[in-house]
Amino acid sequence: MDPVDCGVGGDLRKSGKYGLDEIERLRPHLTPESRVLIIGAHVGTLAIPVSKLCREVVALEANPNTYELLAMNVKLNSVSNCRVIQIAASDKQESLEFLMNRANSGGSKRVPKVHRYSYYYDKPQSVSVRAVRLDQFLEGERFNIAVIDIEGSEYFALKGMTRILSQCELFIVEFMPQHLREVSGITPEQFISVIAPHFSRLTIPSKQRVVTADGFVDQLQAMYDLDQGHAGILFEKI
């Protein structure tokens, strides 16, 4: 970890662990033949443990500095079935302006539409990163599970990976109303519009709530109105 990182890095330094609940949520869905796509893999706290439970992990990370740490951690853990790629996911091939935060490197993101202090307080470096449509970049590849946590860029990434979504049995995504408003500038209805055609059940672990497709929009709109963010909500085919 970057020694000045107070987010994931802080937890790892204090307790030696991070995100165990995410791993446990995934565990029942993993088999020795599963292929898992992780978009926004950070330093590998999910990708590396999951790689021990499945056939292959493809881990994408846009932040150039964080990618180097991810690649290093994969080597340090002697993981042979996790392919790491430095790339950003978007709805088109583009050069994307990206903020590399240091105090909370997990909060690095595309340049937000709203200039809020909380995005710039640690004076992040702005860099251009290569962004692609994942349906084209990963052409011919099929995944059983996809996980995405990219700090507000989820909508654009999802527009570029409809084929991948159509083939997934399980999809896990971060839902943060502030990011929808201030980073991507979209509504909950727009957000769900790129997910709903491919899945029929939504589970919100923190609320212990299960919603069928006809209630997707109302549920996310209610969470948006109350500014209730959730680190990982699950979409499944049933």
Side-chain angles (χ1 to χ4, degrees):
M1 279 301 308
D2 186 327
V4 303
D5 187 284
C6 299
V8 175
D11 284 356
L12 289 173
R13 287 191 296 273
K14 290 174 186 175
S15 65
K17 58 188 178 182
Y18 180 84
L20 298 186
D21 54 339
E22 285 186 279
I23 299 166
E24 291 308 310
R25 277 199 293 269
L26 274 175
R27 190 183 295 273
H29 303 277
L30 293 166
T31 74
E33 295 304 313
S34 296
R35 297 188 74 244
V36 181
L37 174 64
I38 300 179
I39 307 166
H42 199 239
V43 297
T45 52
L46 181 62
I48 292 171
V50 164
S51 71
K52 304 178 189 303
L53 304 171
C54 68
R55 177 184 172 189
E56 184 184 15
V57 173
V58 175
L60 312 182
E61 175 55 46
N63 185 325
N65 292 345
T66 305
Y67 167 79
E68 294 297 331
L69 296 169
L70 169 64
M72 188 183 303
N73 285 330
V74 167
K75 290 181 180 179
L76 287 171
N77 284 272
S78 301
V79 176
S80 60
N81 65 333
C82 180
R83 177 158 42 111
V84 297
I85 306 171
Q86 185 199 332
I87 204 75
S90 191
D91 56 346
K92 57 181 177 293
Q93 312 287 329
E94 61 179 331
S95 180
L96 183 66
E97 288 303 303
F98 191 86
L99 297 181
M100 297 197 301
N101 290 92
R102 293 197 67 199
N104 176 19
S105 60
S108 300
K109 59 178 64 65
R110 69 167 56 221
V111 172
K113 293 184 177 294
V114 174
H115 194 289
R116 177 190 282 269
Y117 173 75
S118 60
Y119 302 143
Y120 291 89
Y121 72 98
D122 60 350
K123 297 180 173 58
Q125 180 183 357
S126 178
V127 298
S128 293
V129 299
R130 181 188 175 202
V132 297
R133 288 178 55 88
L134 292 182
D135 277 348
Q136 295 173 344
F137 186 75
L138 298 172
E139 186 176 3
E141 297 200 48
R142 179 173 183 151
F143 300 92
N144 307 92
I145 298 171
V147 182
I148 182 169
D149 179 356
I150 49 176
E151 303 297 304
S153 287
E154 289 84 2
Y155 172 71
F156 305 106
L158 293 171
K159 287 179 69 178
M161 56 182 286
T162 55
R163 174 191 59 80
I164 291 173
L165 285 177
S166 71
Q167 297 171 341
C168 284
E169 300 152 14
L170 175 71
F171 172 59
I172 301 179
V173 62
E174 182 181 59
F175 179 80
M176 299 296 288
Q178 180 178 315
H179 288 167
L180 266 63
R181 289 192 300 269
E182 299 180 356
V183 178
S184 56
I186 63 164
T187 65
E189 188 170 6
Q190 288 174 292
F191 180 83
I192 200 65
S193 70
V194 289
I195 303 172
H198 310 291
F199 300 95
S200 52
R201 183 168 66 189
L202 161 64
T203 301
I204 306 167
S206 61
K207 290 177 172 289
Q208 297 185 322
R209 183 172 300 165
V210 177
V211 180
T212 54
D214 57 352
F216 284 178
V217 173
D218 289 344
Q219 178 62 57
L220 292 190
Q221 185 65 55
M223 291 161 57
Y224 180 90
D225 293 341
L226 294 171
D227 203 24
Q228 294 179 340
H230 295 272
I233 57 177
L234 287 69
F235 290 89
E236 300 172 82
K237 293 177 170 67
I238 54 173

